[in-house]
Amino acid sequence: GDSVTQMEGPVTLSEEAFLTINCTYTATGYPSLFWYVQYPGEGLQLLLKATKADDKGSNKGFEATYRKETTSFHLEKGSVQVSDSAVYFCALFNQAGTALIFGKGTTLSVSS
Amino acid sequence: DSGVTQTPKHLITATGQRVTLRCSPRSGDLSVYWYQQSLDQGLQFLIQYYNGEERAKGNILERFSAQQFPDLHSELNLSSLELGDSALYFCASTVVGGRADTQYFGPGTRLTVL
């Protein structure tokens, strides 16, 4: 079945460092891909998405490119801030078209 | 604020009991999804409703059930509760539920079973 694999956390960075969180997926066809972020005590918020191969999603300085050849959707940001500290989830919309399949989440902690 | 509301925010109950979690979708959204977030299983899809009808089922236990009412709010009923049911329960809504649609999540209900 469809699945998403994310790099294990936690990821600890200093402010202004470069961020990469790896995400790979297993799915048949061309699923839509998403990054959601969860701040402490809150629900999930969509960060960015891409619906077809080679699409680049971007928002708030974060970017991710849908790579069909490597089945990846890695999240990047050039300069992180303390306010980016949160849990990041990679997800795909499953083959059956019924719901999101999430990775286990990666905790990011940014210190000043 | 996503526009999705969930009540209650916290719920503490005992094993064997039954609880009801409530979700109000964003205005105009017809589709509601329920998810369970636990430390060991992560975020798992439970069930989806669209305009009052069940559309899809995920890893939902037989002790759990849900419905969506004519005003489009949804309720998730959990019965014969076990310690392992302790988790965060999220609902999400979207206009239709297509593969590219953004799902908007509520703040969640934290269930603790003692």
Side-chain angles (χ1 to χ4, degrees):
Chain A
D2 298 340
S3 66
V4 175
T5 302
Q6 284 181 243
M7 62 186 285
E8 295 282 330
V11 174
T12 304
L13 296 173
S14 298
E15 209 165 22
E16 299 183 6
F18 185 85
L19 169 71
T20 299
I21 300 178
N22 291 336
C23 170
T24 57
Y25 67 90
T26 301
T28 303
Y30 296 86
S32 295
L33 301 175
F34 303 80
W35 277 101
Y36 277 84
V37 59
Q38 185 177 26
Y39 297 101
E42 297 184 14
L44 281 78
Q45 302 174 27
L46 177 70
L47 185 57
L48 52 85
K49 69 180 181 183
T51 59
K52 60 183 188 295
D54 300 324
D55 266 2
K56 177 186 280 188
S58 62
N59 185 29
K60 299 180 183 178
F62 291 90
E63 291 184 341
T65 301
Y66 189 140
R67 302 284 188 202
K68 180 65 177 173
E69 61 278 11
T70 54
T71 62
S72 65
F73 193 53
H74 304 321
L75 182 68
E76 296 182 336
K77 186 176 185 183
S79 176
V80 293
Q81 305 300 312
V82 172
S83 57
D84 294 327
S85 298
V87 182
Y88 292 81
F89 292 91
C90 184
L92 65 80
F93 205 80
N94 67 356
Q95 180 185 356
T98 52
L100 290 169
I101 305 296
F102 287 91
K104 290 196 178 298
T106 303
T107 299
L108 170 65
S109 178
V110 181
S111 59
S112 57
Chain B
D1 184 357
S2 66
V4 178
T5 60
Q6 289 187 249
T7 57
K9 195 171 177 63
H10 301 279
L11 201 49
I12 301 174
T13 188
T15 54
Q17 295 298 304
R18 173 189 169 93
V19 297
T20 298
L21 313 183
R22 182 188 169 104
C23 168
S24 293
R26 293 187 321 152
S27 177
D29 284 358
L30 300 178
S31 193
V32 171
Y33 299 78
W34 285 97
Y35 293 88
Q36 179 194 59
Q37 185 179 32
S38 62
L39 282 175
D40 52 345
Q41 298 291 327
L43 261 164
Q44 288 199 97
F45 165 65
L46 296 178
I47 197 164
Q48 180 204 3
Y49 278 80
Y50 173 74
N51 204 20
E53 300 288 329
E54 181 185 304
R55 189 183 239 186
K57 266 186 173 179
N59 298 321
I60 189 166
L61 300 172
E62 285 193 13
R63 300 183 285 108
F64 295 2
S65 65
Q67 52 185 328
Q68 186 178 28
F69 296 85
D71 67 352
L72 301 177
H73 91 272
S74 178
E75 293 180 356
L76 179 67
N77 300 296
L78 315 177
S79 61
S80 302
L81 286 167
E82 302 175 0
L83 295 177
D85 297 327
S86 295
L88 257 174
Y89 292 84
F90 289 106
C91 78
S93 74
T94 188
V95 177
V96 174
R99 61 181 292 277
D101 287 357
T102 296
Q103 293 188 19
Y104 294 87
F105 281 75
T109 293
R110 182 173 292 281
L111 173 66
T112 302
V113 182
L114 301 176

